[in-house]
Amino acid sequence: FFFTSLLFFENSRLDFAFVTTMVTGARFIAAILAIISALVAVILTVYWVYSDFDTSYLGGLNTNHLLFNWHPVLMVSGMILCAISSLMSFRILPFEKLIKKYIHATLHTLTIACICLGLTAVFQSNNNPSTSTDDGYAANLYSLHSCLGLLAIIVYGANYFLGFANFLLFKTLNISQDIKAAFMPYHIFLGLCALFAAVFAVETGIMEVTSELTVDGNSACSYSVTSADLNPALHYNIIAGGCKVANGIGIMVVIAVFFAFIAIFEHPKFVKKEDNLNLLQVGK
């Protein structure tokens, strides 16, 4: 609907200033909804991890045998909520661009901190029996989730440090305005790539965890059928509660990124050249 509306506006005879205001307002609302959706995803993750209604929930948080449970909480908080909030900071905050740039960098730094702590939790849990869920050792970096997560972290980390150097330390490093201008589209592109990779990592991570959950010896997140399952909705209530919460997390993450993309997307018809120039000139 959003993109169809843009095409309609582009070909209509409506006042350009009015249309631009509408598009800007729509992107502002999308940015707010992106942050709210990401926050809901974090809340659901904490609820799923901390609850112990049955074995489809992860049973709590501690630094002993439930250390692994910090991993999903920190990764969703960092790579979804903090990352999206950082991207949206330029869209919704009523401050001058220099202040928004520092907020942008601070939120990305929080993301990096969450990533480091989240990785520490999972590696420590897998490599130390005293902090393992089943008091044993577990393999690392063997699944699609692990590969996608590693890809997301590499892209995110590289973009973070390159962005920090080009846009905050450019005077110290003697980086010219031309280099900053040339790097800007790549910075945005890499940021979006890291966000999408993070989404894939979160979704596959949820699938990996839910595939191992059991209730009374049976799969918690599936159900058995004796005939063609022509109306799966009738059987969804059979799935354990924790699995439904996990599915909700995955859905809210996708919704958050959907709204974030709408907020970030810039139709050439409605982009002022001076807006992009100001991004580079702040702090000059």
Side-chain angles (χ1 to χ4, degrees):
F1 171 79
F2 178 75
F3 297 111
T4 303
S5 299
L6 286 180
L7 293 176
F8 169 75
F9 289 141
E10 182 177 6
N11 295 306
S12 70
R13 296 183 179 180
L14 293 175
D15 180 73
F16 180 80
F18 171 73
V19 174
T20 301
T21 301
M22 288 185 63
V23 172
T24 302
R27 289 164 62 189
F28 177 84
I29 293 172
I32 296 294
L33 291 175
I35 295 174
I36 292 174
S37 300
L39 180 60
V40 171
V42 172
I43 293 172
L44 287 175
T45 303
V46 173
Y47 178 75
W48 182 42
V49 164
Y50 197 75
S51 301
D52 59 355
F53 300 118
D54 58 47
T55 51
S56 67
Y57 296 87
L58 302 191
L61 290 166
N62 61 37
T63 56
N64 297 315
H65 67 288
L66 296 177
L67 178 63
F68 169 84
N69 291 352
W70 284 102
H71 178 70
V73 172
L74 289 165
M75 289 310 196
V76 175
S77 298
M79 299 201 75
I80 301 300
L81 177 59
C82 289
I84 287 178
S85 298
S86 179
L87 295 175
M88 298 303 100
S89 62
F90 282 108
R91 292 282 179 256
I92 64 175
L93 296 179
F95 307 127
E96 63 181 39
K97 283 187 170 63
L98 182 59
I99 294 177
K100 289 192 286 189
K101 180 188 288 188
Y102 287 135
I103 294 173
H104 180 78
T106 299
L107 288 168
H108 276 313
T109 302
L110 286 175
T111 300
I112 293 295
C114 287
I115 289 173
C116 293
L117 292 173
L119 289 178
T120 300
V122 69
F123 279 114
Q124 180 68 13
S125 175
N126 289 344
N127 295 332
N128 190 338
S130 65
T131 57
S132 175
T133 305
D134 56 3
D135 298 323
Y137 295 99
N140 293 304
L141 301 178
Y142 65 92
S143 65
L144 178 61
H145 165 65
S146 303
C147 296
L148 289 172
L150 185 61
L151 174 64
I153 290 168
I154 291 173
V155 175
Y156 197 98
N159 197 39
Y160 172 80
F161 288 109
L162 288 172
F164 207 93
N166 276 276
F167 302 120
L168 288 178
L169 300 179
F170 61 93
K171 289 185 178 180
T172 302
L173 300 176
N174 197 28
I175 296 175
S176 67
Q177 288 293 112
D178 290 339
I179 294 177
K180 290 172 60 182
F183 177 67
M184 175 62 80
Y186 294 100
H187 180 61
I188 297 172
F189 174 75
L190 288 174
L192 289 174
C193 286
L195 181 60
F196 288 137
V199 172
F200 297 145
V202 169
E203 302 296 342
T204 53
I206 292 172
M207 292 178 63
E208 187 173 312
V209 173
T210 55
S211 67
E212 299 175 355
L213 296 177
T214 60
V215 174
D216 298 327
N218 300 313
S219 175
C221 301
S222 182
Y223 54 85
S224 300
V225 295
T226 56
S227 61
D229 192 15
L230 300 179
N231 191 355
L234 291 177
H235 304 123
Y236 192 74
N237 64 303
I238 301 174
I239 297 174
C243 302
K244 295 174 184 176
V245 175
N247 290 343
I249 297 168
I251 291 171
M252 292 310 301
V253 166
V254 171
I255 291 174
V257 174
F258 171 76
F259 282 124
F261 181 76
I262 291 178
I264 294 170
F265 175 79
E266 292 183 339
H267 193 281
K269 180 82 173 176
F270 307 111
V271 177
K272 298 178 181 178
K273 292 182 180 180
E274 57 267 26
D275 288 344
N276 289 332
L277 186 61
N278 286 340
L279 287 175
L280 299 174
Q281 291 180 335
V282 171
K284 182 176 179 180

